[in-house]
Short mmCIF file of all heavy atoms in Angstrom, two decimals:
data_model
loop_
_atom_site.label_atom_id
_atom_site.label_comp_id
_atom_site.label_asym_id
_atom_site.label_seq_id
_atom_site.Cartn_x
_atom_site.Cartn_y
_atom_site.Cartn_z
N SER A 8 -4.65 16.50 8.25
CA SER A 8 -4.50 15.84 7.00
C SER A 8 -5.82 15.86 6.26
O SER A 8 -6.89 15.42 6.83
CB SER A 8 -4.00 14.41 7.22
OG SER A 8 -4.89 13.72 7.94
N SER A 9 -5.82 16.15 4.98
CA SER A 9 -7.07 16.21 4.23
C SER A 9 -7.36 14.78 3.65
O SER A 9 -6.46 14.04 3.33
CB SER A 9 -6.94 17.17 3.14
OG SER A 9 -5.87 16.88 2.32
N GLY A 10 -8.61 14.45 3.57
CA GLY A 10 -9.08 13.18 3.03
C GLY A 10 -9.20 13.25 1.53
O GLY A 10 -8.80 14.27 0.92
N PRO A 11 -9.71 12.16 0.89
CA PRO A 11 -9.87 12.19 -0.50
C PRO A 11 -10.90 13.16 -0.95
O PRO A 11 -11.93 13.39 -0.33
CB PRO A 11 -10.31 10.73 -0.82
CG PRO A 11 -10.93 10.30 0.41
CD PRO A 11 -10.14 10.90 1.53
N ILE A 12 -10.62 13.76 -2.11
CA ILE A 12 -11.57 14.68 -2.76
C ILE A 12 -12.04 14.20 -4.08
O ILE A 12 -11.13 13.88 -5.00
CB ILE A 12 -10.92 16.10 -2.91
CG1 ILE A 12 -10.55 16.66 -1.49
CG2 ILE A 12 -11.99 17.09 -3.54
CD1 ILE A 12 -11.66 16.84 -0.53
N CYS A 13 -13.35 14.02 -4.29
CA CYS A 13 -13.83 13.48 -5.58
C CYS A 13 -13.54 14.49 -6.67
O CYS A 13 -13.82 15.70 -6.52
CB CYS A 13 -15.30 13.23 -5.44
SG CYS A 13 -16.05 12.68 -6.96
N ALA A 14 -13.01 14.11 -7.81
CA ALA A 14 -12.73 14.89 -8.92
C ALA A 14 -13.94 15.39 -9.64
O ALA A 14 -13.92 16.39 -10.35
CB ALA A 14 -11.81 14.14 -9.92
N LEU A 15 -15.09 14.69 -9.37
CA LEU A 15 -16.34 15.12 -10.14
C LEU A 15 -17.25 16.03 -9.23
O LEU A 15 -17.54 17.13 -9.70
CB LEU A 15 -17.12 13.84 -10.49
CG LEU A 15 -18.44 14.01 -11.16
CD1 LEU A 15 -18.26 14.82 -12.52
CD2 LEU A 15 -19.17 12.72 -11.43
N CYS A 16 -17.55 15.61 -8.03
CA CYS A 16 -18.49 16.40 -7.22
C CYS A 16 -17.82 17.18 -6.10
O CYS A 16 -18.47 17.91 -5.33
CB CYS A 16 -19.61 15.51 -6.65
SG CYS A 16 -18.89 14.27 -5.47
N LYS A 17 -16.50 16.98 -5.93
CA LYS A 17 -15.67 17.75 -4.97
C LYS A 17 -16.05 17.35 -3.52
O LYS A 17 -15.67 18.15 -2.62
CB LYS A 17 -15.80 19.26 -5.18
CG LYS A 17 -15.51 19.68 -6.58
CD LYS A 17 -14.16 19.28 -7.09
CE LYS A 17 -13.86 19.75 -8.52
NZ LYS A 17 -12.54 19.21 -8.99
N GLN A 18 -16.71 16.21 -3.30
CA GLN A 18 -17.03 15.83 -1.93
C GLN A 18 -15.92 15.01 -1.40
O GLN A 18 -14.99 14.66 -2.14
CB GLN A 18 -18.34 15.04 -1.97
CG GLN A 18 -19.59 15.83 -2.39
CD GLN A 18 -19.87 17.02 -1.52
OE1 GLN A 18 -19.85 16.91 -0.33
NE2 GLN A 18 -20.11 18.17 -2.17
N SER A 19 -16.01 14.60 -0.11
CA SER A 19 -14.96 13.90 0.57
C SER A 19 -15.09 12.43 0.40
O SER A 19 -15.53 11.68 1.21
CB SER A 19 -14.93 14.29 2.05
OG SER A 19 -13.92 13.53 2.73
N HIS A 20 -14.82 11.95 -0.83
CA HIS A 20 -14.78 10.50 -1.13
C HIS A 20 -14.04 10.32 -2.45
O HIS A 20 -13.77 11.29 -3.15
CB HIS A 20 -16.15 9.88 -1.19
CG HIS A 20 -17.09 10.57 -2.24
ND1 HIS A 20 -18.14 11.39 -1.87
CD2 HIS A 20 -16.98 10.71 -3.58
CE1 HIS A 20 -18.69 11.85 -2.96
NE2 HIS A 20 -18.08 11.51 -4.01
N TYR A 21 -13.67 9.08 -2.79
CA TYR A 21 -12.99 8.76 -4.01
C TYR A 21 -13.94 8.80 -5.14
O TYR A 21 -15.15 8.56 -4.95
CB TYR A 21 -12.28 7.40 -3.90
CG TYR A 21 -11.13 7.41 -2.92
CD1 TYR A 21 -11.32 6.74 -1.72
CD2 TYR A 21 -9.90 7.95 -3.25
CE1 TYR A 21 -10.29 6.74 -0.81
CE2 TYR A 21 -8.90 7.88 -2.33
CZ TYR A 21 -9.07 7.31 -1.15
OH TYR A 21 -8.02 7.24 -0.18
N LEU A 22 -13.44 9.07 -6.40
CA LEU A 22 -14.28 9.08 -7.58
C LEU A 22 -14.96 7.72 -7.71
O LEU A 22 -16.11 7.68 -8.18
CB LEU A 22 -13.41 9.46 -8.78
CG LEU A 22 -14.19 9.52 -10.13
CD1 LEU A 22 -15.28 10.56 -10.14
CD2 LEU A 22 -13.16 9.75 -11.27
N SER A 23 -14.31 6.66 -7.38
CA SER A 23 -14.83 5.24 -7.52
C SER A 23 -16.02 5.05 -6.66
O SER A 23 -16.84 4.09 -6.89
CB SER A 23 -13.79 4.24 -7.32
OG SER A 23 -13.30 4.37 -5.98
N LYS A 24 -16.21 5.88 -5.64
CA LYS A 24 -17.38 5.80 -4.72
C LYS A 24 -18.44 6.89 -4.95
O LYS A 24 -19.40 6.96 -4.22
CB LYS A 24 -16.87 5.86 -3.25
CG LYS A 24 -15.90 4.79 -2.85
CD LYS A 24 -16.42 3.41 -2.90
CE LYS A 24 -15.44 2.39 -2.47
NZ LYS A 24 -15.96 1.04 -2.59
N CYS A 25 -18.28 7.65 -5.98
CA CYS A 25 -19.13 8.78 -6.27
C CYS A 25 -20.48 8.34 -6.84
O CYS A 25 -20.52 7.64 -7.95
CB CYS A 25 -18.46 9.76 -7.15
SG CYS A 25 -19.52 11.27 -7.52
N ASP A 26 -21.64 8.65 -6.25
CA ASP A 26 -22.96 8.26 -6.79
C ASP A 26 -23.25 8.94 -8.10
O ASP A 26 -23.83 8.40 -8.96
CB ASP A 26 -24.06 8.63 -5.77
CG ASP A 26 -23.94 7.75 -4.48
OD1 ASP A 26 -23.40 6.69 -4.62
OD2 ASP A 26 -24.46 8.25 -3.39
N HIS A 27 -22.82 10.26 -8.22
CA HIS A 27 -23.06 10.96 -9.49
C HIS A 27 -22.31 10.24 -10.64
O HIS A 27 -22.75 10.17 -11.77
CB HIS A 27 -22.55 12.38 -9.33
CG HIS A 27 -23.32 13.16 -8.32
ND1 HIS A 27 -24.50 13.67 -8.47
CD2 HIS A 27 -22.86 13.55 -7.01
CE1 HIS A 27 -24.89 14.25 -7.38
NE2 HIS A 27 -23.97 14.25 -6.52
N PHE A 28 -21.12 9.76 -10.33
CA PHE A 28 -20.29 9.05 -11.34
C PHE A 28 -20.93 7.73 -11.75
O PHE A 28 -20.99 7.46 -12.95
CB PHE A 28 -18.88 8.82 -10.80
CG PHE A 28 -17.97 8.30 -11.84
CD1 PHE A 28 -17.50 9.01 -12.89
CD2 PHE A 28 -17.49 6.90 -11.74
CE1 PHE A 28 -16.62 8.49 -13.82
CE2 PHE A 28 -16.58 6.35 -12.61
CZ PHE A 28 -16.19 7.16 -13.65
N HIS A 29 -21.50 7.05 -10.79
CA HIS A 29 -22.07 5.67 -11.09
C HIS A 29 -23.44 5.84 -11.76
O HIS A 29 -23.88 4.77 -12.31
CB HIS A 29 -22.09 4.80 -9.83
CG HIS A 29 -20.74 4.30 -9.43
ND1 HIS A 29 -20.16 3.27 -10.05
CD2 HIS A 29 -19.95 4.68 -8.42
CE1 HIS A 29 -18.96 3.01 -9.47
NE2 HIS A 29 -18.77 3.90 -8.48
N LYS A 30 -24.06 6.98 -11.64
CA LYS A 30 -25.36 7.12 -12.38
C LYS A 30 -25.19 7.19 -13.87
O LYS A 30 -26.11 7.01 -14.60
CB LYS A 30 -26.03 8.35 -11.83
CG LYS A 30 -26.61 8.16 -10.44
CD LYS A 30 -27.29 9.44 -9.93
CE LYS A 30 -27.83 9.32 -8.54
NZ LYS A 30 -28.48 10.59 -8.02
N LEU A 31 -23.98 7.51 -14.31
CA LEU A 31 -23.71 7.59 -15.72
C LEU A 31 -23.55 6.20 -16.32
O LEU A 31 -23.19 5.25 -15.67
CB LEU A 31 -22.40 8.34 -16.03
CG LEU A 31 -22.32 9.85 -15.42
CD1 LEU A 31 -20.94 10.44 -15.65
CD2 LEU A 31 -23.32 10.73 -16.08
N ALA A 32 -23.90 6.05 -17.59
CA ALA A 32 -23.65 4.82 -18.39
C ALA A 32 -22.12 4.63 -18.50
O ALA A 32 -21.36 5.55 -18.53
CB ALA A 32 -24.29 4.91 -19.70
N PRO A 33 -21.72 3.37 -18.59
CA PRO A 33 -20.25 3.05 -18.76
C PRO A 33 -19.55 3.88 -19.83
O PRO A 33 -18.45 4.45 -19.52
CB PRO A 33 -20.18 1.56 -19.04
CG PRO A 33 -21.44 1.02 -18.36
CD PRO A 33 -22.45 2.09 -18.54
N PRO A 34 -20.09 4.08 -21.06
CA PRO A 34 -19.37 4.93 -22.03
C PRO A 34 -19.28 6.35 -21.58
O PRO A 34 -18.27 6.96 -21.83
CB PRO A 34 -20.30 4.78 -23.22
CG PRO A 34 -21.02 3.51 -23.07
CD PRO A 34 -21.26 3.41 -21.67
N ASP A 35 -20.35 6.88 -20.89
CA ASP A 35 -20.31 8.21 -20.27
C ASP A 35 -19.31 8.40 -19.19
O ASP A 35 -18.64 9.37 -19.04
CB ASP A 35 -21.64 8.67 -19.88
CG ASP A 35 -22.62 8.72 -21.07
OD1 ASP A 35 -22.17 8.95 -22.19
OD2 ASP A 35 -23.85 8.53 -20.83
N ARG A 36 -19.17 7.30 -18.39
CA ARG A 36 -18.18 7.38 -17.31
C ARG A 36 -16.78 7.42 -17.89
O ARG A 36 -15.89 8.20 -17.38
CB ARG A 36 -18.29 6.10 -16.49
CG ARG A 36 -19.58 5.99 -15.62
CD ARG A 36 -19.55 4.67 -14.89
NE ARG A 36 -20.89 4.26 -14.47
CZ ARG A 36 -21.21 2.99 -14.23
NH1 ARG A 36 -20.34 2.02 -14.33
NH2 ARG A 36 -22.48 2.68 -13.90
N LEU A 37 -16.54 6.64 -18.99
CA LEU A 37 -15.20 6.63 -19.59
C LEU A 37 -14.85 8.06 -20.15
O LEU A 37 -13.83 8.63 -19.99
CB LEU A 37 -15.12 5.60 -20.70
CG LEU A 37 -13.77 5.53 -21.47
CD1 LEU A 37 -12.61 5.22 -20.51
CD2 LEU A 37 -13.90 4.50 -22.57
N ALA A 38 -15.89 8.68 -20.78
CA ALA A 38 -15.66 10.00 -21.33
C ALA A 38 -15.42 11.07 -20.18
O ALA A 38 -14.63 11.95 -20.34
CB ALA A 38 -16.91 10.45 -22.16
N LYS A 39 -16.21 10.88 -19.11
CA LYS A 39 -16.08 11.82 -18.00
C LYS A 39 -14.69 11.64 -17.33
O LYS A 39 -14.04 12.66 -16.97
CB LYS A 39 -17.14 11.57 -16.94
CG LYS A 39 -17.14 12.41 -15.73
CD LYS A 39 -17.25 13.95 -16.10
CE LYS A 39 -18.57 14.31 -16.60
NZ LYS A 39 -18.73 15.74 -16.80
N ALA A 40 -14.22 10.42 -17.21
CA ALA A 40 -12.89 10.15 -16.63
C ALA A 40 -11.74 10.82 -17.43
O ALA A 40 -10.80 11.47 -16.88
CB ALA A 40 -12.60 8.65 -16.44
N LYS A 41 -11.94 10.73 -18.75
CA LYS A 41 -10.93 11.41 -19.68
C LYS A 41 -11.02 12.91 -19.51
O LYS A 41 -10.05 13.64 -19.59
CB LYS A 41 -11.09 10.92 -21.12
CG LYS A 41 -10.73 9.50 -21.32
CD LYS A 41 -10.99 9.03 -22.73
CE LYS A 41 -10.60 7.61 -22.98
NZ LYS A 41 -10.83 7.17 -24.38
N GLU A 42 -12.29 13.42 -19.34
CA GLU A 42 -12.51 14.79 -19.29
C GLU A 42 -11.86 15.36 -17.96
O GLU A 42 -11.28 16.47 -17.96
CB GLU A 42 -13.99 15.19 -19.28
CG GLU A 42 -14.35 16.61 -19.15
CD GLU A 42 -15.83 16.87 -19.05
OE1 GLU A 42 -16.59 15.97 -19.50
OE2 GLU A 42 -16.24 17.86 -18.45
N LEU A 43 -12.00 14.60 -16.88
CA LEU A 43 -11.43 14.97 -15.59
C LEU A 43 -9.88 14.72 -15.46
O LEU A 43 -9.30 15.11 -14.50
CB LEU A 43 -12.12 14.19 -14.49
CG LEU A 43 -13.61 14.45 -14.26
CD1 LEU A 43 -14.24 13.49 -13.29
CD2 LEU A 43 -13.84 15.91 -13.84
N LYS A 44 -9.30 14.10 -16.53
CA LYS A 44 -7.94 13.83 -16.63
C LYS A 44 -7.44 12.98 -15.45
O LYS A 44 -6.49 13.28 -14.80
CB LYS A 44 -7.14 15.16 -16.70
CG LYS A 44 -7.41 15.97 -17.97
CD LYS A 44 -6.53 17.20 -18.05
CE LYS A 44 -6.80 17.96 -19.31
NZ LYS A 44 -6.00 19.18 -19.43
N VAL A 45 -8.22 11.93 -15.15
CA VAL A 45 -7.79 10.95 -14.16
C VAL A 45 -7.33 9.61 -14.85
O VAL A 45 -7.71 9.40 -15.97
CB VAL A 45 -8.99 10.65 -13.21
CG1 VAL A 45 -9.43 11.91 -12.46
CG2 VAL A 45 -10.16 10.02 -13.88
N CYS A 46 -6.59 8.87 -14.10
CA CYS A 46 -6.16 7.53 -14.63
C CYS A 46 -7.42 6.66 -14.74
O CYS A 46 -8.15 6.47 -13.84
CB CYS A 46 -5.21 6.96 -13.64
SG CYS A 46 -4.71 5.23 -14.11
N ILE A 47 -7.55 6.05 -15.95
CA ILE A 47 -8.76 5.19 -16.13
C ILE A 47 -8.62 3.84 -15.58
O ILE A 47 -9.56 3.09 -15.52
CB ILE A 47 -9.08 5.05 -17.69
CG1 ILE A 47 -7.88 4.32 -18.39
CG2 ILE A 47 -9.29 6.38 -18.37
CD1 ILE A 47 -8.21 3.91 -19.79
N ASN A 48 -7.49 3.56 -14.89
CA ASN A 48 -7.32 2.26 -14.23
C ASN A 48 -7.64 2.32 -12.73
O ASN A 48 -8.35 1.52 -12.21
CB ASN A 48 -5.91 1.73 -14.38
CG ASN A 48 -5.76 0.35 -13.87
OD1 ASN A 48 -6.50 -0.55 -14.17
ND2 ASN A 48 -4.73 0.14 -13.00
N CYS A 49 -7.16 3.42 -12.07
CA CYS A 49 -7.44 3.59 -10.59
C CYS A 49 -8.28 4.75 -10.32
O CYS A 49 -8.59 5.02 -9.08
CB CYS A 49 -6.12 3.61 -9.85
SG CYS A 49 -5.14 5.15 -10.21
N LEU A 50 -8.68 5.59 -11.32
CA LEU A 50 -9.55 6.77 -11.17
C LEU A 50 -8.89 7.80 -10.21
O LEU A 50 -9.64 8.48 -9.45
CB LEU A 50 -10.88 6.30 -10.65
CG LEU A 50 -11.71 5.42 -11.53
CD1 LEU A 50 -13.08 5.19 -10.98
CD2 LEU A 50 -11.87 6.02 -12.96
N SER A 51 -7.59 7.87 -10.22
CA SER A 51 -6.86 8.88 -9.36
C SER A 51 -6.24 9.91 -10.26
O SER A 51 -5.87 9.63 -11.36
CB SER A 51 -5.86 8.24 -8.50
OG SER A 51 -6.42 7.25 -7.65
N LYS A 52 -6.03 11.10 -9.73
CA LYS A 52 -5.38 12.26 -10.49
C LYS A 52 -3.83 12.10 -10.27
O LYS A 52 -3.42 11.44 -9.33
CB LYS A 52 -5.91 13.54 -10.00
CG LYS A 52 -7.24 13.96 -10.68
CD LYS A 52 -7.43 15.43 -10.55
CE LYS A 52 -8.60 15.91 -11.45
NZ LYS A 52 -8.73 17.35 -11.45
N GLY A 53 -3.19 12.83 -11.15
CA GLY A 53 -1.68 12.87 -10.97
C GLY A 53 -0.90 12.01 -11.92
O GLY A 53 0.27 12.14 -12.03
N HIS A 54 -1.57 11.12 -12.57
CA HIS A 54 -0.90 10.24 -13.53
C HIS A 54 -1.95 9.69 -14.52
O HIS A 54 -3.14 9.80 -14.28
CB HIS A 54 -0.14 9.11 -12.88
CG HIS A 54 -1.01 8.17 -12.14
ND1 HIS A 54 -1.42 8.31 -10.90
CD2 HIS A 54 -1.56 6.96 -12.57
CE1 HIS A 54 -2.24 7.37 -10.51
NE2 HIS A 54 -2.35 6.50 -11.47
N PHE A 55 -1.44 9.04 -15.62
CA PHE A 55 -2.35 8.37 -16.56
C PHE A 55 -2.10 6.88 -16.55
O PHE A 55 -1.21 6.40 -15.83
CB PHE A 55 -2.08 8.95 -17.95
CG PHE A 55 -2.57 10.46 -18.02
CD1 PHE A 55 -1.60 11.45 -17.97
CD2 PHE A 55 -3.89 10.76 -18.15
CE1 PHE A 55 -1.97 12.78 -18.03
CE2 PHE A 55 -4.26 12.13 -18.23
CZ PHE A 55 -3.31 13.12 -18.22
N VAL A 56 -2.89 6.16 -17.33
CA VAL A 56 -2.92 4.70 -17.25
C VAL A 56 -1.55 4.06 -17.57
O VAL A 56 -1.18 3.03 -16.94
CB VAL A 56 -4.06 4.12 -18.23
CG1 VAL A 56 -3.69 4.41 -19.64
CG2 VAL A 56 -4.23 2.61 -17.88
N ASN A 57 -0.80 4.67 -18.44
CA ASN A 57 0.51 4.12 -18.77
C ASN A 57 1.55 4.28 -17.69
O ASN A 57 2.59 3.70 -17.75
CB ASN A 57 1.03 4.72 -20.14
CG ASN A 57 1.15 6.21 -20.03
OD1 ASN A 57 0.63 6.83 -19.17
ND2 ASN A 57 1.93 6.75 -21.02
N GLN A 58 1.18 5.16 -16.66
CA GLN A 58 2.11 5.29 -15.52
C GLN A 58 1.56 4.71 -14.29
O GLN A 58 2.12 4.91 -13.21
CB GLN A 58 2.30 6.87 -15.36
CG GLN A 58 2.93 7.56 -16.56
CD GLN A 58 2.81 9.07 -16.49
OE1 GLN A 58 1.87 9.57 -15.88
NE2 GLN A 58 3.81 9.75 -17.11
N CYS A 59 0.40 4.10 -14.33
CA CYS A 59 -0.32 3.58 -13.11
C CYS A 59 0.52 2.35 -12.52
O CYS A 59 0.81 1.42 -13.22
CB CYS A 59 -1.72 3.16 -13.44
SG CYS A 59 -2.70 2.73 -12.01
N ASN A 60 0.71 2.44 -11.19
CA ASN A 60 1.38 1.38 -10.49
C ASN A 60 0.40 0.41 -9.84
O ASN A 60 0.88 -0.54 -9.13
CB ASN A 60 2.33 1.92 -9.49
CG ASN A 60 3.45 2.75 -10.12
OD1 ASN A 60 3.93 2.43 -11.13
ND2 ASN A 60 3.82 3.86 -9.40
N SER A 61 -0.85 0.63 -9.98
CA SER A 61 -1.85 -0.25 -9.29
C SER A 61 -1.80 -1.64 -9.88
O SER A 61 -1.76 -1.73 -11.10
CB SER A 61 -3.24 0.38 -9.37
OG SER A 61 -4.25 -0.50 -8.89
N THR A 62 -1.87 -2.65 -9.02
CA THR A 62 -1.95 -4.05 -9.52
C THR A 62 -3.35 -4.58 -9.88
O THR A 62 -3.47 -5.61 -10.36
CB THR A 62 -1.31 -4.97 -8.42
OG1 THR A 62 -2.13 -4.88 -7.22
CG2 THR A 62 0.10 -4.59 -8.10
N PHE A 63 -4.33 -3.69 -9.63
CA PHE A 63 -5.73 -4.06 -9.95
C PHE A 63 -5.98 -3.70 -11.35
O PHE A 63 -5.61 -2.68 -11.90
CB PHE A 63 -6.69 -3.39 -9.01
CG PHE A 63 -6.52 -3.84 -7.62
CD1 PHE A 63 -5.97 -3.05 -6.67
CD2 PHE A 63 -7.06 -5.10 -7.14
CE1 PHE A 63 -5.82 -3.44 -5.32
CE2 PHE A 63 -6.94 -5.51 -5.89
CZ PHE A 63 -6.27 -4.68 -4.91
#
Side-chain angles (χ1 to χ4, degrees):
S8 60
S9 59
I12 300 298
C13 177
L15 179 59
C16 66
K17 308 304 180 184
Q18 298 298 317
S19 180
H20 56 249
Y21 293 103
L22 179 60
S23 58
K24 302 295 183 183
C25 180
D26 292 337
H27 299 285
F28 184 70
H29 285 286
K30 287 179 181 179
L31 302 174
D35 297 331
R36 291 181 203 155
L37 180 60
K39 180 59 69 174
K41 292 180 179 179
E42 178 186 336
L43 295 173
K44 296 182 179 179
V45 298
C46 173
I47 63 172
N48 186 50
C49 65
L50 298 182
S51 300
K52 278 199 169 185
H54 65 274
F55 293 101
V56 64
N57 58 344
Q58 302 166 329
C59 186
N60 295 323
S61 174
T62 58
F63 294 103

